[in-house]
Every structure is written in C-alpha cells, then in structure tokens.
Amino acid sequence: MASLNVGNLGEYLREQRRSAQLSLRQLAEAAGVSNPYLSQIERGLRKPSADILQQLAKALRISAESLYIQAGILDERDRDGMEVHNAILTDPTINERQKQVLLQIYESFRKENGSAEEGPAKSAVPRKRAAKKAAKKAVAVLKPRTAAEKHGDGEDAATA
C-alpha cells in the first residue's frame, strides 16, 4: 500500500502514544479501534476520520485539535493558541471547571487583541469591559472558597 498524504500524523500519533507509555494494543483498546487499523494510521497507510481522531485524542488525553492539525483537517496558523489550550487541558493540578474558565479568559484576550490589530472599527471600551468581566469571573472561580461560602449565602453554619 502507498502512503497517504496525511502530514506527519502517524509519526505524531506514535510519539504521543510513546509519551503516554502505551503500547499500540493498549491505545487501540482505549480508543475503541482495531490494533491493525491503528498500526496502519501510524505508518501513514490510512487516513482516519475526525471521529477516530477524537477517540484517539481522548485515549491519549490530548486535544483532538492537535490531531486535526496533524491530519490536515484544521489550519496550522492557530498552532500557538492550540499549545496554550493543550497545556491548560492537560494540567493535572487544576480541575475541569478551572480549565474551562482559563480557556474562556484566554479566548477573550485573543479576541480582544485580534480586534485591536484589525483596526479602530470597534470601540475598545466594550472589549475592555468584557475582559474585565472575564477576569472577575476567573478570580471568583479560581480563588479558594471558605466553608461558609460553600454552604450558601456566606452566613456561618452555626448562626443559620
């Protein structure tokens, strides 16, 4: 079989699998694909669908977008943003809610800066308000809550 033009997807996938210390068989089982099919993907003989790439990404605990870029499904121009996304999504020290808030803040800053670079068509005031609102939300989510705050309106449980 001739190798398909799937970029460096196979090599990238193999590298990610090895980094995760998974055998070909273990990854195939975790992703719900056959061992021979995964082997063919890694050798560049098969081009997997976006669904299969998503299953593989989930099993590897990496972003599906990084596999989409390698497979040529997504444009590579946003690679820097994807690296930040991957770092946030794979950080074991923060919970899922915190990860989502960080991603929202990051995207709001990217949109703000992207709009600023395109020219003065939009006012900077609404963008600054949106960024300030996102930052306040992040502080509220990321700061540790006291026991009283966790029980509702902030009143001490003994006085309730």
Side-chain angles (χ1 to χ4, degrees), residues 6 11 17 22 25 37 39 45 51 58 61 72 76-77 81 86 89-90 93 101 116 118 122 128 139 142 145 155:
V6 289
E11 291 173 24
R17 177 177 58 78
L22 293 172
R25 230 170 267 251
Y37 181 62
S39 175
L45 301 175
D51 289 337
K58 186 175 180 181
R61 297 182 179 183
E76 194 172 350
R77 65 188 154 161
N86 288 341
L89 291 173
T90 58
T93 62
V101 171
E118 291 172 10
K122 293 184 179 180
K128 287 181 182 177
V139 168
L142 298 175
R145 297 186 334 176
E155 292 182 9

Side-chain angles (χ1 to χ4, degrees), residues 38-131:
L38 181 55
S39 175
Q40 291 173 348
I41 293 170
E42 283 193 0
R43 291 182 289 141
L45 301 175
R46 295 281 181 145
K47 183 175 182 178
S49 68
D51 289 337
I52 297 294
L53 290 173
Q54 187 171 17
Q55 290 170 236
L56 290 167
K58 186 175 180 181
L60 289 166
R61 297 182 179 183
I62 61 173
S63 77
E65 289 83 3
S66 63
L67 291 180
Y68 295 160
I69 290 169
Q70 291 295 323
I73 295 172
L74 283 180
D75 194 351
E76 194 172 350
R77 65 188 154 161
D78 199 28
R79 183 180 273 288
D80 290 339
M82 294 308 305
E83 289 175 3
V84 172
H85 278 256
N86 288 341
I88 292 170
L89 291 173
T90 58
D91 187 334
T93 62
I94 58 177
N95 66 41
E96 291 303 314
R97 184 168 178 234
Q98 292 168 333
K99 290 176 184 181
Q100 292 308 311
V101 171
L102 283 174
L103 289 172
Q104 289 172 353
I105 293 167
Y106 177 69
E107 285 305 317
S108 73
F109 288 146
R110 285 177 54 95
K111 286 178 185 173
E112 177 183 342
N113 293 340
S115 297
E117 290 171 7
E118 291 172 10
K122 293 184 179 180
S123 170
V125 174
R127 289 193 312 265
K128 287 181 182 177
R129 284 185 192 143

